[in-house]
């Protein structure tokens, strides 16, 4: 987020006497003829909104990084950008109490204590409050679990493959080495089954960690 633009009410009229103002995004001139009763006007070049009046009582302007101008309560601490291709969560600082005769000034946005993560399932960005990677996260948009960073699933997958292959080799060794003993004591078959079953479970878990979606951090904050 960035600071809302300064709220110059109306710019000087142009040569034709029509009041105009510069767009706060692309600096193009915006014709204010017939729009002076509005709080914001829309630029015809970049299609972004520019305020021409102070916000209504109890409200404030906040401009997202994608240049979307948002109007929210002056007591709001967190707001979300409504644009589908952005969906940023903007955390605002504490509200400053100012005299009524002064124009309302927005609080400075502060950096959240966390990491913006791009979901590996739906592609939306969400705020992950853990300050460490190699962990699992649940996306608030699609409600699906993914791994933040690829180190954790890669490490888990290798570990389960190793354990699974060891269990299978143990099972093969028991099968070959205790065939004669198993014909007399049928309980030996249970040890074979346990070794093969543990190996199969470990390989299934390895497949799970190998196929899990990975979400990558967009920005990180100290």
């Amino acid at each position: 987020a960035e600071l809302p633009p300064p709220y110059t009410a109306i710019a000087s009229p142009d040569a034709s006497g029509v009041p105009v103002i510069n767009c706060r995004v692309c600096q193009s001139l915006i014709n204010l003829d017939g729009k002076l009763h509005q709080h914001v006007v829309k630029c015809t070049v970049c299609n972004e909104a520019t305020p021409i009046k102070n916000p209504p009582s109890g409200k404030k302007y906040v401009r997202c990084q994608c240049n979307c101008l948002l109007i929210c309560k002056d007591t709001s601490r967190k707001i979300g950008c409504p644009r589908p291709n952005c969906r940023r969560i903007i955390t605002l600082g504490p509200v400053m109490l100012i005299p009524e005769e002064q124009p309302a000034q927005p609080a400075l946005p502060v950096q959240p204590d966390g990491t913006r993560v791009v979901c590996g399932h739906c592609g939306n960005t969400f705020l992950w409050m853990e300050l460490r990677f190699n962990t699992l996260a649940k996306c608030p948009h699609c409600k699906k679990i993914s791994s933040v960073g690829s180190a954790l699933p890669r490490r888990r997958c290798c570990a389960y493959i190793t354990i699974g292959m060891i269990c299978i080799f143990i099972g093969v060794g028991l099968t070959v080495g205790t065939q004669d003993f198993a014909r007399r004591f049928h309980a030996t078959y249970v040890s074979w089954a346990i070794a093969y079953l543990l190996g199969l479970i470990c390989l299934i878990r390895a497949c799970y960690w190998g196929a899990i979606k990975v979400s990558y951090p967009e920005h990180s904050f100290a």
Side-chain angles (χ1 to χ4, degrees), residues 60-71:
K60 64 181 176 181
Y61 298 121
V62 176
R63 191 177 292 278
C64 179
Q65 292 180 6
C66 69
N67 292 325
C68 179
L69 185 67
L70 309 175
I71 303 178

Side-chain angles (χ1 to χ4, degrees), residues 29-80:
L29 289 179
I30 303 176
N31 189 333
L32 299 181
D33 188 23
K35 303 177 182 178
L36 296 179
H37 62 284
Q38 303 176 11
H39 281 83
V40 298
V41 292
K42 189 174 183 180
C43 177
T44 57
V45 177
C46 64
N47 291 324
E48 299 293 349
T50 294
I52 59 175
K53 293 182 180 179
N54 283 349
S57 178
K59 302 287 186 178
K60 64 181 176 181
Y61 298 121
V62 176
R63 191 177 292 278
C64 179
Q65 292 180 6
C66 69
N67 292 325
C68 179
L69 185 67
L70 309 175
I71 303 178
C72 63
K73 294 181 180 179
D74 56 9
T75 56
S76 298
R77 299 297 301 275
K78 282 188 178 182
I79 58 173

